[in-house]
Amino acid sequence: MTEDTPLLVIVDAANVVGSVPDGWWRDRRGAAERLRDRLAADGVPGRAGPVEIVLVVEGAARGVETVPGVRVESAPGSGDDHMVELVARAGGRPCLVVTADRELRRRVTELGAEVAGPRTVRP
């Protein structure tokens, strides 16, 4: 990897959206779209340099579209398993996984990823 290689930021949409009790459960897809749009507009605060943002959605949020600046991936099964797979496929590229899920954090750090909590991308 070169120093120009963008940091791969993988965002656990369900976990980040669920971190604030703002009624997201009434419209899971809409909540994921609002998170996607905020990420596209604001990026990842506090991260200098280029980043590639991947928002992983699952369940009722599947089908949220990719927008410039944020690639959206609908997990075919478990969102956690899909995020672990994305880190594993990164092949040593720097990765940051945004989630509060303890088990997911453990799994991705074993693969060399950095982790951060939902507040990293949520006001």
Side-chain angles (χ1 to χ4, degrees):
M1 302 292 140
T2 69
E3 51 187 66
D4 293 340
T5 302
L7 172 68
L8 177 61
V9 179
I10 302 166
V11 179
D12 181 349
N15 192 269
V16 172
V17 165
S19 69
V20 177
D22 61 2
W24 59 263
W25 53 88
R26 289 188 290 270
D27 181 12
R28 293 170 195 259
R29 185 179 174 128
E33 288 170 339
R34 288 187 295 279
L35 174 58
R36 175 205 60 199
D37 295 346
R38 187 167 45 254
L39 289 168
D42 300 340
V44 181
R47 292 291 169 163
V51 297
E52 176 186 352
I53 301 173
V54 178
L55 181 66
V56 176
V57 297
E58 61 187 321
R62 281 190 187 103
V64 170
E65 297 292 325
T66 292
V67 298
V70 179
R71 184 174 86 232
V72 180
E73 292 204 11
S74 293
S78 159
D80 290 3
D81 289 346
H82 190 69
M83 287 179 271
V84 169
E85 182 181 317
L86 289 172
V87 172
R89 286 193 326 224
R93 176 181 177 189
C95 294
L96 171 67
V97 178
V98 180
T99 186
D101 183 298
R102 288 185 186 152
E103 178 62 13
L104 176 57
R105 291 169 76 100
R106 183 194 64 75
R107 292 172 67 192
V108 297
T109 56
E110 286 178 354
L111 295 171
E114 188 181 345
V115 294
R119 285 187 223 157
T120 303
V121 296
R122 194 132 189 183

